[in-house]
Amino acid sequence: MSETVLRAPTDWKGNAMQRRIRRRYATERRFRWLGLAAILISAAFLAFLLVTMIAKGAGGFRQTEIRLELDFPRSALLASSTGGEIEGAVAAAADSQYGRNGARLLSDTAWLRVERAIEQDPALLSRKETMWLPAATNVDTAFKGNGDATSEGIVASLDGRDALRTTFNTDFLVSADATDPASVGIWGAFKGSLLTMIVTLGLAFPIGVLSAVYLEEYAKRNRWTDFIEVSINNLAAVPSIIFGLLGLAVFLNTMHLPRSAPLVGGLTLALMTMPVIVIAGRNAIKSVPPSIRDAALGIGASKVQVVFHHVLPLALPGILTGTIIGMARALGETAPLLMIGMRAFIATPPSGITAPASVLPVQIFLWSDEVSRGFVEKTSAAIIVLLVFLLAMNGLAIYLRNKFERRW
């Protein structure tokens, strides 16, 4: 005959119990404060990064210009003038207005603006015109407050003649790389990044999604399937430079594809992005309730119809979110692209996926190595463009997730 043991009721007002309650509340407060501190530290680092980049890079979006009087009839320029003649006429006009070294105050590519103006309005050749042309790097940095003593003296002299102004640097957004920091632009690297991302998405998305569908819906559970799953999970954590070495060995040394081309860059980044898409795709497919599959099978749908008519559309928001996040990571990668030779000086935007090209992260890396002071703000400005690109891609991922998300 068993005996029933009666426990005494808990004494919630006792000293021991009150101490335990106080410790529990203190632990909860500490956890809340630690979480808040972690968020504040992360936000502080992010704010420091953004403020630093904006402070250093804002000057890259502004360009100092010098006023120049061009007497086209007296310079004897014709509509069929060559670039060399226009360059000489611009240099002569600068020397006559600002002294013997006046031409050195202008950017090396200042005459191109004159050439474009003549192409747009040939009537310029028959009159005298005042034009604002980009200044040389030392004048530009001095006018923004970062120059040396000599350059600041030149700027003070020009400013006293009301010959300087600052405008938005459109050329930075529409030009390609150059040796003169006053003439560099990001359009070539930006276009190269776009073409590389197109190749990456075109390969990684269909292969990654189909792999996820097969592994989740069709593959039998055995040792081989487990081995493949573990391998994919490990590949997602492999350092990116390993994929660069793989791309160098396979696509360049074995297949002899063109070096420094968006095609090879896209193939290499697709290898790196594919495991991320497979993992995100499997999780999204796994989150679809089994009742959806059972209902479709119950009304006579085939397995393929169940997958492509019901499961995949419902899993698509999660797949797209994972894909865009993987693409954003690929966009910011530098190491694998350096390994396949995308660090060459490319002065013209690529015309296709097999043309020589650079990409934004590599362009930033190359500019950061330059000793000229003018490249400092250009590097930060390019980083701002890259961050805006990344934020736009993450914003797109959030939009797609919210738009197509289904709750059940």
Side-chain angles (χ1 to χ4, degrees):
M1 184 175 177
S2 62
E3 294 183 359
T4 302
V5 179
L6 297 177
R7 294 183 56 187
T10 304
D11 183 11
W12 292 98
K13 295 184 179 179
N15 292 333
M17 186 55 69
Q18 287 298 318
R19 282 196 298 274
R20 293 179 60 183
I21 292 174
R22 283 195 294 273
R23 283 200 300 271
R24 188 175 67 180
Y25 286 164
T27 302
E28 291 180 357
R29 282 197 299 273
R30 281 198 299 273
F31 180 76
R32 190 167 61 247
W33 282 110
L34 286 173
L36 181 61
I39 292 175
L40 290 176
I41 291 172
S42 303
F45 276 110
L46 179 61
F48 177 78
L49 171 67
L50 293 178
V51 170
T52 305
M53 287 300 108
I54 292 173
K56 289 184 178 178
F61 295 100
R62 293 184 291 117
Q63 184 179 52
T64 303
E65 294 179 338
I66 297 179
R67 181 166 52 83
L68 190 65
E69 305 284 344
L70 288 168
D71 191 350
F72 288 104
R74 291 190 61 185
S75 63
L77 282 176
L78 302 176
S80 58
S81 297
T82 63
E85 291 175 341
I86 296 176
E87 185 178 4
V90 170
D95 286 344
S96 78
Q97 291 178 45
Y98 299 111
R100 189 175 55 184
N101 294 322
R104 295 183 180 179
L105 302 177
L106 297 174
S107 166
D108 294 341
T109 57
W111 64 274
L112 290 174
R113 186 174 293 187
V114 178
E115 186 182 56
R116 287 197 296 267
I118 294 174
E119 289 174 355
Q120 293 172 0
D121 183 13
L124 279 176
L125 294 171
S126 61
R127 65 174 185 265
K128 188 176 180 181
E129 187 75 15
T130 301
M131 300 188 69
W132 289 91
L133 303 180
T137 302
N138 60 331
V139 177
D140 182 50
T141 53
F143 193 56
K144 294 172 183 173
N146 299 318
D148 52 29
T150 306
S151 301
E152 288 180 356
I154 295 172
V155 166
S157 172
L158 292 172
D159 205 21
R161 299 172 62 176
D162 198 21
L164 289 178
R165 73 173 186 182
T166 301
T167 60
F168 183 75
N169 190 1
T170 310
D171 292 341
F172 180 70
L173 299 178
V174 300
S175 302
D177 197 9
T179 54
D180 182 11
S183 310
V184 298
I186 59 163
W187 174 239
F190 191 83
K191 190 175 179 183
S193 289
L194 279 179
L195 293 174
T196 303
M197 288 299 104
I198 289 172
V199 174
T200 303
L201 183 65
L203 289 171
F205 183 72
I207 297 176
V209 171
L210 290 177
S211 301
V213 168
Y214 178 79
L215 288 173
E216 198 59 35
E217 297 289 337
Y218 290 96
K220 295 180 180 177
R221 300 299 170 194
N222 52 35
R223 287 185 301 175
W224 288 109
T225 306
D226 294 339
F227 174 74
I228 292 173
E229 291 179 1
V230 171
S231 300
I232 291 174
N233 292 334
N234 288 331
L235 281 175
V238 168
S240 58
I241 196 168
I242 303 299
F243 291 101
L245 292 170
L246 181 62
L248 175 66
V250 175
F251 302 129
L252 294 183
N253 295 341
T254 303
M255 300 175 69
H256 302 292
L257 293 177
R259 182 179 290 272
S260 189
L263 174 63
V264 179
L267 288 168
T268 305
L269 294 179
L271 293 174
M272 189 187 72
T273 309
M274 213 176 300
V276 179
I277 298 177
V278 173
I279 293 172
R282 291 192 63 194
N283 290 332
I285 292 170
K286 199 179 297 182
S287 66
V288 177
S291 58
I292 301 291
R293 300 174 178 82
D294 296 339
L297 290 171
I299 60 174
S302 65
K303 183 70 175 176
V304 172
Q305 289 174 324
V306 171
V307 170
F308 287 95
H309 294 180
H310 301 278
V311 175
L312 205 53
L314 292 173
L316 196 58
I319 296 175
L320 288 177
T321 303
T323 300
I324 294 175
I325 291 174
M327 293 293 294
R329 179 197 169 197
L331 176 65
E333 284 294 342
T334 307
L337 301 178
L338 291 176
M339 295 303 300
I340 60 171
M342 296 191 79
R343 59 170 301 165
F345 175 77
I346 309 293
T348 55
S351 57
I353 60 174
T354 57
S358 183
V359 290
L360 273 176
V362 176
Q363 190 74 79
I364 292 169
F365 173 76
L366 294 177
W367 285 353
S368 67
D369 252 3
E370 298 286 345
V371 295
S372 175
R373 192 175 297 182
F375 276 105
V376 175
E377 62 181 18
K378 294 298 189 296
T379 303
S380 299
I383 291 173
I384 292 174
V385 173
L386 180 60
L387 288 177
V388 170
F389 200 176
L390 290 171
L391 289 175
M393 292 187 71
N394 283 295
L396 179 63
I398 295 172
Y399 171 76
L400 291 174
R401 184 185 61 196
N402 294 337
K403 183 175 178 61
F404 297 107
E405 189 176 23
R406 301 284 181 87
R407 295 183 182 277
W408 44 70

